[in-house]
Amino acid sequence: KSIMQDANAIAGWNGPGPFTIENNYIEASTENLGFGGSTPAIPNLVPSNITIRRNHLLKPLSWKKDHPSYAGKAWWVKNAIEFKNARDVLIEGNVIENVWLDQQKGYGIVLTVRTNNSTVPWAVVENVTITKNIFRHCGGGVTILGHDSDGLGKARGITIKDNLLENVTSTFSGGPGIFIQVLCGTDHVLVHHNTPFHPSQAVHLE
């Protein structure tokens, strides 16, 4: 954890995969788990065949400034899972708990393809399945960015199904309370059979 920069429990950008992250407790201030975001040493590398299953990703409420248990350290908080360059991803059966508005808006999962100042023009976030997860006390469910600000990179082939979202609200988090946000021309997004409890907004498209 950190009060001045990103801090991750698990992060990868320079390996091809496969990666299996299963049955762990994963705690970190900024992103609990993420792939991409730095320039790999291997041209055209996309971390691939990533399985994230049956983990508990948590940020303690003692890090939340307005919570009675706040311990006095303003750690940088962004999200629980973030992908900036990844292919063929399964996120299944996890508990994603306690993400709030701080350095970002507090989404549980962020799929935000990034080319790292155009040094990774091949970056993709594609063929991602998010299923049978529990989102609990988050500023939002899933947000997806179709391409980076340089116009490069691409997010496509995202399936979000059979998830339960409990207290994904702006009241708890200060965040938008949006179940799913899709930005910048993401291709082929399927949303099916999810149960969000009391989001401020179900879907935001832009």
Side-chain angles (χ1 to χ4, degrees), residues 67-130:
H67 195 269
S69 67
Y70 179 56
K73 279 285 189 179
W75 307 115
W76 273 31
V77 169
K78 289 188 178 179
N79 53 71
I81 296 175
E82 182 174 68
F83 288 97
K84 296 180 176 178
N85 185 27
R87 175 185 290 129
D88 299 332
V89 178
L90 175 64
I91 303 171
E92 180 181 37
N94 303 280
V95 176
I96 298 166
E97 188 169 4
N98 297 345
V99 190
W100 54 85
L101 175 69
D102 191 76
Q103 299 300 309
Q104 290 181 356
K105 293 183 178 181
Y107 281 89
I109 296 178
V110 175
L111 307 179
T112 177
V113 62
R114 295 296 180 183
T115 63
N116 200 28
N117 297 319
S118 303
T119 62
V120 192
W122 62 84
V124 293
V125 175
E126 65 181 2
N127 301 335
V128 178
T129 298
I130 300 168

Side-chain angles (χ1 to χ4, degrees), residues 4 15 17 20 23-24 38 42 63 65 87 91 132 150 156 159 161 171-172 190 195:
M4 64 182 69
T20 300
N23 195 26
N24 303 283
S38 294
I42 304 167
W63 299 353
K65 295 177 188 177
R87 175 185 290 129
I91 303 171
K132 299 178 182 176
D150 59 5
R156 57 193 166 215
T159 298
K161 65 178 183 178
T171 304
F172 161 78
L190 172 64
T195 305

